[in-house]
Amino acid sequence: MFTEFCRAFGINLDLALEAREIVRGETEQEVPGVQVDREKYDYAEVTIVKIVEPYAEKLMGKPVGTYITIEAPVIRENNPPAHQEITEILARHLEPFVKLPEYSNILVVGLGNWRATPDSLGPKVCSLTVVTRHLFNYAPQALKEGMRSVSALAPGVLGITGIETAEIIKGVVEKIRPELIITIDALAARNVSRIGTTIQIADTGISPGSGTGNQRAGINRETMGVPVIALGIPTVAHAAVIARDTLDGFLEQLRKSPELYQLSQRLSPGLAQEVINRVLEPFGGNLTVTPKEIDTLIHTAAEIVAGGITMALHPNLTPDEYNFYLH
Amino acid sequence: MFTEFCRAFGINLDLALEAREIVRGETEQEVPGVQVDREKYDYAEVTIVKIVEPYAEKLMGKPVGTYITIEAPVIRENNPPAHQEITEILARHLEPFVKLPEYSNILVVGLGNWRATPDSLGPKVCSLTVVTRHLFNYAPQALKEGMRSVSALAPGVLGITGIETAEIIKGVVEKIRPELIITIDALAARNVSRIGTTIQIADTGISPGSGTGNQRAGINRETMGVPVIALGIPTVAHAAVIARDTLDGFLEQLRKSPELYQLSQRLSPGLAQEVINRVLEPFGGNLTVTPKEIDTLIHTAAEIVAGGITMALHPNLTPDEYNFYLH
Amino acid sequence: MFTEFCRAFGINLDLALEAREIVRGETEQEVPGVQVDREKYDYAEVTIVKIVEPYAEKLMGKPVGTYITIEAPVIRENNPPAHQEITEILARHLEPFVKLPEYSNILVVGLGNWRATPDSLGPKVCSLTVVTRHLFNYAPQALKEGMRSVSALAPGVLGITGIETAEIIKGVVEKIRPELIITIDALAARNVSRIGTTIQIADTGISPGSGTGNQRAGINRETMGVPVIALGIPTVAHAAVIARDTLDGFLEQLRKSPELYQLSQRLSPGLAQEVINRVLEPFGGNLTVTPKEIDTLIHTAAEIVAGGITMALHPNLTPDEYNFYLH
Amino acid sequence: MFTEFCRAFGINLDLALEAREIVRGETEQEVPGVQVDREKYDYAEVTIVKIVEPYAEKLMGKPVGTYITIEAPVIRENNPPAHQEITEILARHLEPFVKLPEYSNILVVGLGNWRATPDSLGPKVCSLTVVTRHLFNYAPQALKEGMRSVSALAPGVLGITGIETAEIIKGVVEKIRPELIITIDALAARNVSRIGTTIQIADTGISPGSGTGNQRAGINRETMGVPVIALGIPTVAHAAVIARDTLDGFLEQLRKSPELYQLSQRLSPGLAQEVINRVLEPFGGNLTVTPKEIDTLIHTAAEIVAGGITMALHPNLTPDEYNFYLH
């Protein structure tokens, strides 16, 4: 039912965790073909959703693969030590994906538009990530033992470049031949509470149509020829979903009273949709919302993501060295 | 009913037009003590709401005075000639308030925080307004016939300065003794469709608690000693209102069917509130939303407002001269 | 003599006009193998330097080709109508290079770093240029008759991406196969008066080592496989050159008096260099300077360059349409 | 001699250290009425110049008072631990000036224009300083033991506000009645090597005509009625000074050789000035230069200054608490 709703409003469920919640609905059963694991930390809960069977792909609307979700509401608080802990949790969960030979090249790709605040997460992460590929080529003496060859690209968005993002990345990939790509993207959440508080790591790369910029072509192993780890943080939510959640909550209350339940059964099935359409009509049903404090939120999220990536790629760097290599 | 809802969620109705809609509810009658006038333009509709009787103040939650609202959805479109028309409509409606002797000083005050995109409208307008007071003092030969003495202040926000905005303005007003103050502020709308499409001009100044920055002290004739014209554009909406509108739309549908009407009558009066609380709980019921394209929207709105103010204050300036005096 | 000085300080002469001035020195003769033409306008002087003979390449330190220089000090003034004229002059001089079949693709490349003000000219021009390639692919109905397929890329700088700029461009070029590349870059001038006042159009592309970002690899027909038009505006000057010009001016004065001239002949040839070294020592002889009002200057220059490019590539656009296609 | 040169070019010597150097010239004697003390640190040298006698005011072009200069070239390097040390040295030298009763209010004033990079130091420091005055008024429970009541104001510049900066500050001071004002300003240095490497603390406040924004009215105890500590960092240098230093260096070399000395004696006294005029003519002799990496430099300097001020005003804050109170 919700999946139909999403389709009606062109909503893509970027988070596997949310897709799973919806597919499960109110049942207690796991989605068939899906495995789930959980880890608890002081400031975060990590859920690892594995879509293992091809038939689960269709149910979940997401390709077979591993989706790690770090839920940490503390990211929205002003709590530097907790942010440091989240950074380390992120680094630890990235590490298995970056176990590559020493000579490997890794390309970090910051998707999105640096001139539109809610969509600027990716480019900001690029500028906060320690990049070293040029040092390997031109100044190897400036490198510390154990650093990897890392490059970073912020390809911009279709509306500004006129070029499919995937084409730009593919062109660069064919030149520099990385062994691994890590993308960073601003996502859309179904649930407003996830904005700026949830980090998803997916080893499936990016499917067509996902992210706030709505990539038209996929950025994944099929299109790029190398593994693609997709890192995302929701920065917007669909207003349609706020409306929907309200109605759902309302109907749920109705169902608690036997006689109201009976009456509610007589509601026409399309009524909810119709009402939501009318409320959101002025924006063509396409209102994406973002919290008022979006500037601060993007800044903090970018610091955590860039810190986690840098820690995973250059595990020997001290915090001072991290600052030093960032210019 | 809605006013109670607003109170419950700490929502201030910044737009007199919206306050009037709510007070009237579904009746066709004008609010007592209120007069309304309308003008139609190609790209805009102007509504002039006059709160004339003191007893209407309480009903409307706004002080006695004139509230001019320019509704122009075209502001959100990419249509420069239409924006020029809106700028002129704004200038024309500002003019009656700036009919002052030639020697008069006018102080433009850009409220809000220039480091938080949705709240940066006021400071941006300041930097796009043609300021001349220093030329009167130091370089009168640089002035064109008929220019007025205009100054501009962006006092910042309490959280960043530690000082009440009204205190800063009052301090400056006592030094430079303007005959008129024009404030610009980002507002919160009840209706998402008003974000970036509605300009309000109020001759009442700013009441305590209004605007997105929630001024604690008023900025008006009482506190400043001179007339204060408040210019505002909604840049955010309360998520609670989206939820509320959805429920209202739903209940309205119920009431259309006789038997479902019966159902709606049995609902407990607090149910709607309770449901909304639960949906918005993760943000403490205090989620303010803003469209994803907020950067562009603020930029366009600031250009229109600064253009309109400049046109009203320096009516003889040509567009080229406007650009020239902006540095 | 000056060329030795440049070599000593690692100064690259980005402007052909300046290279020519230096090679000619005080002689009145044209540099052999070089042809020069001049056009006068109200607000600008255009000089067309053609390096026609291969032996002139070495003399000039620039490859055989055409270098058009628009000198317009008015760019630094606050004079919108004059800026419009410069934009048109630029468009007119770009046109011969963009006489391509209708189906042609053109790639605009904004070199430089958008996070460092004096180096941000290229990326800013990208964001102000009307890009249409995606419309040809996805929304041809949105195009106006006679528009060309234009894309734009801001590849970043080596220190931030870890990737040679030329590699990124080459990768993208191999994907999208443009018929022409237009690069925009911030240049270094020898003469401070050229900062923000001179536009150079060169049909030779970009040689290794030029521009303020000091490209390591060339971006030209050899490396890219298609013609490359390089558009540049100086935004910095070498402090060493200010020092040098001062000494030269001083020595010139000495030479006017016969007896002082005689004495000045006894100066050791390396003395000037030594003195300059000492003055600029604190910055390793590598001080690049930029005017204090650099933010405004970059903004104006970017508007003129993007306007000129757009006018040349989409000659039928009206100013309103230009604004419309920019989002 | 140099002071005449400064007058000719409208150069104000913002740094007392430089004024002293010039007044002393090549003599080894201290300027009469001036006392000097020195401290050495790993990464910095601190010079305390006290102008004690009124007759020294005229010689030095600066009012009687204490001028502490922290010279730390490491600020321009990418060395976070060294920056931390400079921050602490700054805090320690501010402390004697902020020995005030517990209930005291302190107003931090960030002079300059946040929209012009080289002039944005002051406003940036404001936004990085821990401000608490509003917490004392509205949320005392959020305060930590020993915090002072601090407010911050970025009044803008005359060209943008139309109001004398001193008028704005005075107006606010009369409202909030601080016991101490600390101003932060971007300065102009005579010597390019001081840009971004030197911090001056002066207990004399700001004299008319100083700073890069060239205040017209003083901001000091006379005008404000309370002590004013002026904190400044050079972010620009006068190009005229680069030219001048070159000529001086050259003439110094001449004087070393007996026969060339003779030459130098015959030069007309105005020759140097004339030559410099000609070199800098295109900018009306008024070229102010700034290093190309100005964005990074301003950022680092603002962090150090805001850190030092916060440490001096709230001595009990830990680094994590510092981040917490900054929003």
Side-chain angles (χ1 to χ4, degrees):
Chain A
M1 185 172 149
F2 186 83
T3 47
E4 279 154 36
F5 166 80
C6 289
R7 221 166 290 135
F9 282 98
I11 295 174
N12 193 72
L13 284 171
D14 287 332
L15 293 174
L17 206 62
E18 292 189 342
R20 174 176 166 266
E21 276 169 14
I22 286 156
V23 174
R24 290 174 79 204
E26 285 157 42
T27 73
E28 289 299 301
Q29 288 190 303
E30 193 45 75
V31 179
V34 168
Q35 291 169 5
V36 174
D37 237 332
R38 274 220 177 67
E39 299 167 12
K40 297 246 179 202
Y41 298 86
D42 280 3
Y43 290 112
E45 190 172 332
V46 176
T47 311
I48 301 165
V49 174
K50 285 189 185 166
I51 305 185
V52 284
E53 302 293 347
Y55 61 76
E57 281 198 9
K58 224 182 158 179
L59 277 170
M60 295 280 286
K62 308 224 140 270
V64 162
T66 300
Y67 301 84
I68 301 170
T69 315
I70 302 169
E71 293 176 277
V74 78
I75 299 177
R76 292 189 70 154
E77 292 168 24
N78 197 347
N79 187 342
H83 294 177
Q84 187 56 28
E85 191 184 315
I86 309 303
T87 306
E88 282 161 23
I89 292 171
L90 171 58
R92 210 169 317 141
H93 286 90
L94 276 172
E95 273 160 25
F97 301 114
V98 299
K99 290 231 171 306
L100 295 165
E102 252 186 55
Y103 54 78
S104 310
N105 284 294
I106 293 132
L107 173 63
V108 174
V109 175
L111 299 167
N113 179 359
W114 55 269
R115 296 169 61 93
T117 311
D119 200 26
S120 64
L121 178 71
K124 287 236 168 86
V125 168
C126 274
S127 67
L128 293 170
T129 297
V130 170
V131 159
T132 52
R133 184 174 171 275
H134 57 310
L135 301 179
F136 278 87
N137 293 343
Y138 297 115
Q141 75 288 354
L143 291 163
K144 217 193 133 179
E145 181 72 25
M147 291 183 90
R148 285 153 190 289
S149 170
V150 176
S151 49
L153 186 73
V157 292
L158 182 61
I160 282 177
T161 62
I163 314 172
E164 279 280 2
T165 308
E167 277 184 292
I168 298 178
I169 301 170
K170 179 69 170 166
V172 173
V173 162
E174 289 177 1
K175 287 286 146 212
I176 71 171
R177 303 263 166 223
E179 270 79 21
L180 176 71
I181 298 171
I182 301 176
T183 63
I184 298 98
D185 202 4
L187 304 180
R190 163 185 144 56
N191 189 321
V192 289
S193 73
R194 294 199 180 287
I195 298 181
T197 65
T198 301
I199 308 172
Q200 176 175 274
I201 310 168
D203 67 357
T204 57
I206 289 189
S207 306
S210 63
T212 64
N214 290 322
Q215 306 300 329
R216 283 166 198 262
I219 301 164
N220 48 40
R221 190 193 280 263
E222 286 73 54
T223 56
M224 295 298 148
V226 294
V228 179
I229 304 303
L231 233 150
I233 295 192
T235 63
V236 301
H238 293 278
V241 175
I242 297 177
R244 172 69 194 213
D245 283 354
T246 311
L247 275 193
D248 282 354
F250 189 71
L251 294 172
E252 201 180 309
Q253 293 301 314
L254 291 192
R255 285 189 209 104
K256 286 185 183 163
S257 138
E259 65 176 331
L260 288 177
Y261 177 74
Q262 204 190 340
L263 281 166
S264 78
Q265 289 304 88
R266 298 201 200 141
L267 296 174
S268 92
L271 182 59
Q273 183 82 4
E274 208 180 286
V275 168
I276 295 170
N277 282 345
R278 204 163 307 152
V279 173
L280 302 176
E281 204 177 24
F283 289 83
N286 189 19
L287 183 67
T288 306
V289 298
T290 214
K292 196 181 146 195
E293 67 275 23
I294 183 67
D295 300 73
T296 312
L297 190 154
I298 291 282
H299 184 74
T300 309
E303 283 187 333
I304 290 174
V305 171
I309 290 176
T310 301
M311 219 181 266
L313 297 181
H314 311 298
N316 298 337
L317 279 196
T318 65
D320 279 344
E321 287 167 343
Y322 174 47
N323 280 305
F324 173 78
Y325 280 103
L326 277 189
H327 13 226
Chain B
M1 188 171 147
F2 186 83
T3 47
E4 279 154 37
F5 166 80
C6 288
R7 220 165 291 135
F9 282 99
I11 295 175
N12 193 73
L13 284 172
D14 286 333
L15 293 174
L17 206 61
E18 291 190 341
R20 174 176 166 266
E21 277 169 15
I22 286 156
V23 174
R24 290 175 78 203
E26 285 158 42
T27 72
E28 288 300 300
Q29 289 191 302
E30 194 45 76
V31 178
V34 169
Q35 292 169 4
V36 174
D37 237 332
R38 276 223 174 64
E39 300 167 11
K40 297 248 179 201
Y41 297 87
D42 280 1
Y43 289 113
E45 190 172 331
V46 176
T47 311
I48 301 164
V49 174
K50 286 189 184 164
I51 304 184
V52 283
E53 302 293 346
Y55 61 77
E57 280 198 11
K58 224 180 160 181
L59 277 171
M60 295 279 287
K62 308 224 140 271
V64 162
T66 300
Y67 302 82
I68 302 170
T69 315
I70 302 169
E71 292 176 278
V74 78
I75 299 177
R76 293 190 70 155
E77 292 168 25
N78 198 346
N79 187 342
H83 294 176
Q84 187 55 28
E85 190 184 315
I86 308 304
T87 306
E88 282 160 23
I89 292 171
L90 170 58
R92 210 168 316 141
H93 286 88
L94 276 172
E95 273 160 25
F97 301 113
V98 299
K99 290 234 170 304
L100 295 165
E102 251 185 57
Y103 54 78
S104 310
N105 284 295
I106 293 132
L107 173 63
V108 175
V109 175
L111 300 167
N113 180 358
W114 54 269
R115 296 168 61 93
T117 311
D119 199 27
S120 63
L121 178 71
K124 287 236 168 87
V125 168
C126 275
S127 66
L128 293 170
T129 296
V130 170
V131 159
T132 52
R133 185 174 172 274
H134 57 311
L135 302 178
F136 277 87
N137 293 342
Y138 298 114
Q141 74 287 357
L143 291 163
K144 215 193 135 178
E145 181 72 24
M147 289 183 91
R148 284 152 190 289
S149 170
V150 176
S151 48
L153 185 73
V157 292
L158 182 62
I160 282 176
T161 62
I163 314 171
E164 280 281 1
T165 309
E167 277 183 290
I168 297 177
I169 301 170
K170 179 69 172 167
V172 173
V173 162
E174 288 178 0
K175 287 285 148 213
I176 71 171
R177 303 262 167 221
E179 270 79 21
L180 175 72
I181 298 172
I182 301 176
T183 63
I184 298 98
D185 201 5
L187 305 181
R190 163 187 143 58
N191 189 321
V192 290
S193 72
R194 295 200 180 286
I195 297 182
T197 65
T198 301
I199 308 173
Q200 176 174 275
I201 309 168
D203 67 358
T204 56
I206 289 188
S207 306
S210 64
T212 65
N214 290 321
Q215 305 302 329
R216 283 166 198 261
I219 301 164
N220 46 40
R221 190 192 281 262
E222 286 73 53
T223 57
M224 296 297 147
V226 294
V228 179
I229 305 302
L231 233 149
I233 294 191
T235 63
V236 301
H238 292 278
V241 176
I242 297 178
R244 173 69 195 214
D245 284 354
T246 311
L247 274 193
D248 282 354
F250 189 72
L251 294 172
E252 202 180 310
Q253 293 302 313
L254 291 193
R255 285 187 211 104
K256 287 185 184 163
S257 135
E259 57 182 356
L260 288 175
Y261 179 75
Q262 198 189 348
L263 161 64
S264 77
Q265 290 304 90
R266 295 205 202 139
L267 296 174
S268 89
L271 181 60
Q273 183 83 2
E274 209 179 286
V275 168
I276 294 169
N277 282 344
R278 206 164 304 152
V279 172
L280 302 176
E281 204 177 26
F283 288 84
N286 190 19
L287 184 67
T288 306
V289 298
T290 214
K292 197 182 145 194
E293 67 275 21
I294 182 69
D295 301 73
T296 312
L297 191 154
I298 292 284
H299 184 73
T300 310
E303 283 187 334
I304 290 174
V305 171
I309 290 175
T310 301
M311 219 180 265
L313 297 182
H314 310 298
N316 298 336
L317 279 196
T318 65
D320 278 343
E321 287 166 342
Y322 175 46
N323 280 305
F324 174 76
Y325 280 102
L326 276 189
H327 13 228
Chain C
M1 184 171 148
F2 186 82
T3 47
E4 278 154 38
F5 167 79
C6 289
R7 220 166 291 136
F9 283 98
I11 294 175
N12 193 72
L13 283 171
D14 287 332
L15 293 173
L17 205 62
E18 292 189 342
R20 174 175 167 266
E21 276 169 14
I22 286 155
V23 174
R24 291 175 78 203
E26 284 158 43
T27 72
E28 288 299 300
Q29 288 191 304
E30 193 46 75
V31 179
V34 168
Q35 292 169 4
V36 174
D37 237 333
R38 275 222 176 64
E39 299 168 11
K40 296 246 180 204
Y41 296 87
D42 280 2
Y43 290 112
E45 190 172 333
V46 176
T47 311
I48 301 165
V49 174
K50 286 190 184 164
I51 304 185
V52 284
E53 302 293 346
Y55 60 77
E57 279 198 10
K58 223 177 159 183
L59 277 170
M60 293 280 286
K62 308 226 140 269
V64 161
T66 300
Y67 301 83
I68 302 169
T69 314
I70 302 169
E71 291 176 279
V74 79
I75 299 177
R76 293 190 70 154
E77 292 168 24
N78 198 346
N79 187 341
H83 295 176
Q84 187 55 28
E85 189 184 315
I86 308 304
T87 306
E88 282 160 24
I89 292 171
L90 171 58
R92 209 168 317 142
H93 286 89
L94 275 172
E95 273 160 26
F97 300 114
V98 300
K99 290 233 171 303
L100 294 166
E102 250 185 56
Y103 53 79
S104 309
N105 284 294
I106 293 132
L107 173 63
V108 174
V109 175
L111 299 167
N113 180 359
W114 54 267
R115 296 168 61 92
T117 311
D119 199 25
S120 64
L121 177 71
K124 287 239 168 86
V125 169
C126 275
S127 66
L128 293 171
T129 297
V130 171
V131 159
T132 52
R133 184 174 172 275
H134 57 310
L135 300 179
F136 277 87
N137 293 342
Y138 297 114
Q141 76 286 356
L143 291 163
K144 216 193 136 179
E145 182 73 24
M147 289 183 91
R148 286 153 190 289
S149 170
V150 176
S151 48
L153 185 73
V157 292
L158 182 62
I160 282 176
T161 63
I163 315 171
E164 280 280 2
T165 309
E167 277 184 290
I168 297 177
I169 301 170
K170 179 69 169 166
V172 173
V173 162
E174 288 178 0
K175 288 286 146 210
I176 70 171
R177 303 263 167 222
E179 271 80 19
L180 176 71
I181 298 172
I182 301 176
T183 63
I184 298 98
D185 202 4
L187 305 180
R190 164 185 142 59
N191 189 320
V192 290
S193 72
R194 294 200 181 285
I195 297 182
T197 65
T198 301
I199 308 173
Q200 176 174 275
I201 309 168
D203 67 357
T204 57
I206 289 188
S207 307
S210 63
T212 64
N214 289 322
Q215 305 302 328
R216 283 167 198 261
I219 301 165
N220 47 39
R221 190 193 281 263
E222 287 73 53
T223 58
M224 295 297 147
V226 295
V228 178
I229 305 303
L231 232 149
I233 295 191
T235 63
V236 300
H238 293 278
V241 175
I242 297 178
R244 172 69 195 215
D245 284 355
T246 311
L247 276 193
D248 281 354
F250 187 72
L251 294 172
E252 202 180 310
Q253 293 302 313
L254 291 193
R255 285 188 209 104
K256 288 186 181 161
S257 137
E259 66 176 331
L260 288 177
Y261 178 74
Q262 201 187 344
L263 280 168
S264 77
Q265 290 303 89
R266 300 203 200 140
L267 296 173
S268 91
L271 181 59
Q273 183 82 3
E274 208 179 287
V275 168
I276 294 170
N277 281 345
R278 204 164 307 152
V279 172
L280 301 176
E281 203 177 26
F283 289 84
N286 189 19
L287 184 66
T288 306
V289 298
T290 215
K292 197 182 145 193
E293 66 276 22
I294 182 68
D295 300 73
T296 311
L297 190 154
I298 291 283
H299 183 74
T300 310
E303 283 187 333
I304 289 174
V305 171
I309 290 176
T310 300
M311 218 180 267
L313 297 182
H314 311 298
N316 298 337
L317 280 196
T318 65
D320 279 342
E321 287 167 342
Y322 174 47
N323 280 306
F324 174 77
Y325 280 102
L326 276 190
H327 13 229
Chain D
M1 185 173 150
F2 186 83
T3 47
E4 279 154 37
F5 167 79
C6 289
R7 220 166 292 136
F9 282 99
I11 295 175
N12 193 72
L13 283 172
D14 287 332
L15 293 174
L17 206 62
E18 292 189 341
R20 175 176 166 265
E21 277 169 14
I22 286 156
V23 175
R24 291 173 79 204
E26 285 158 43
T27 73
E28 287 301 299
Q29 288 190 302
E30 194 46 74
V31 179
V34 168
Q35 292 169 4
V36 174
D37 236 332
R38 274 220 176 66
E39 299 167 13
K40 296 247 179 202
Y41 297 87
D42 280 2
Y43 290 112
E45 190 171 332
V46 176
T47 311
I48 301 165
V49 173
K50 287 190 185 164
I51 304 185
V52 284
E53 301 293 347
Y55 60 78
E57 278 197 11
K58 221 178 162 181
L59 277 171
M60 293 280 286
K62 308 224 140 270
V64 161
T66 301
Y67 301 83
I68 302 169
T69 314
I70 302 169
E71 292 177 277
V74 78
I75 299 177
R76 293 190 70 154
E77 292 169 24
N78 197 347
N79 187 342
H83 295 177
Q84 187 56 28
E85 190 183 315
I86 308 304
T87 306
E88 282 160 23
I89 292 171
L90 170 58
R92 209 168 317 142
H93 286 89
L94 275 172
E95 272 159 28
F97 301 114
V98 299
K99 290 232 171 305
L100 295 165
E102 253 186 53
Y103 54 79
S104 310
N105 284 293
I106 293 133
L107 172 63
V108 174
V109 175
L111 299 167
N113 179 359
W114 54 269
R115 297 168 61 93
T117 310
D119 199 26
S120 63
L121 178 72
K124 286 236 169 86
V125 168
C126 274
S127 66
L128 293 170
T129 297
V130 170
V131 159
T132 52
R133 185 174 171 275
H134 56 311
L135 301 178
F136 278 88
N137 292 343
Y138 297 114
Q141 74 287 354
L143 291 163
K144 218 193 133 178
E145 181 72 24
M147 290 183 90
R148 285 154 190 290
S149 171
V150 176
S151 48
L153 185 74
V157 293
L158 182 62
I160 281 175
T161 62
I163 314 171
E164 280 280 1
T165 308
E167 276 184 291
I168 297 177
I169 301 170
K170 179 69 169 165
V172 173
V173 162
E174 289 178 0
K175 287 287 147 211
I176 70 171
R177 303 264 166 221
E179 270 78 21
L180 176 71
I181 298 172
I182 301 176
T183 63
I184 299 98
D185 202 4
L187 306 179
R190 164 183 143 58
N191 189 319
V192 289
S193 73
R194 294 200 181 284
I195 297 181
T197 65
T198 301
I199 308 173
Q200 176 174 276
I201 309 168
D203 67 357
T204 56
I206 289 188
S207 306
S210 63
T212 64
N214 289 322
Q215 306 301 329
R216 283 167 198 261
I219 301 164
N220 47 40
R221 191 193 280 261
E222 286 73 54
T223 57
M224 296 297 147
V226 294
V228 179
I229 304 302
L231 232 149
I233 295 191
T235 64
V236 301
H238 292 279
V241 175
I242 297 177
R244 173 68 195 215
D245 283 354
T246 311
L247 275 193
D248 282 354
F250 189 72
L251 294 171
E252 201 180 310
Q253 292 303 313
L254 291 192
R255 286 187 210 103
K256 287 186 183 163
S257 134
E259 57 182 355
L260 288 175
Y261 179 77
Q262 199 191 345
L263 161 63
S264 77
Q265 290 305 89
R266 296 206 203 137
L267 296 174
S268 89
L271 181 59
Q273 183 82 3
E274 207 180 287
V275 168
I276 294 170
N277 282 345
R278 203 164 307 153
V279 172
L280 301 176
E281 203 178 25
F283 289 83
N286 189 20
L287 183 67
T288 305
V289 298
T290 214
K292 195 182 147 194
E293 66 275 22
I294 183 68
D295 301 73
T296 312
L297 191 152
I298 291 283
H299 184 73
T300 309
E303 283 187 333
I304 290 174
V305 172
I309 290 176
T310 300
M311 218 180 268
L313 297 181
H314 310 298
N316 297 336
L317 279 197
T318 65
D320 280 343
E321 288 167 342
Y322 174 46
N323 280 305
F324 173 78
Y325 280 103
L326 276 189
H327 16 225

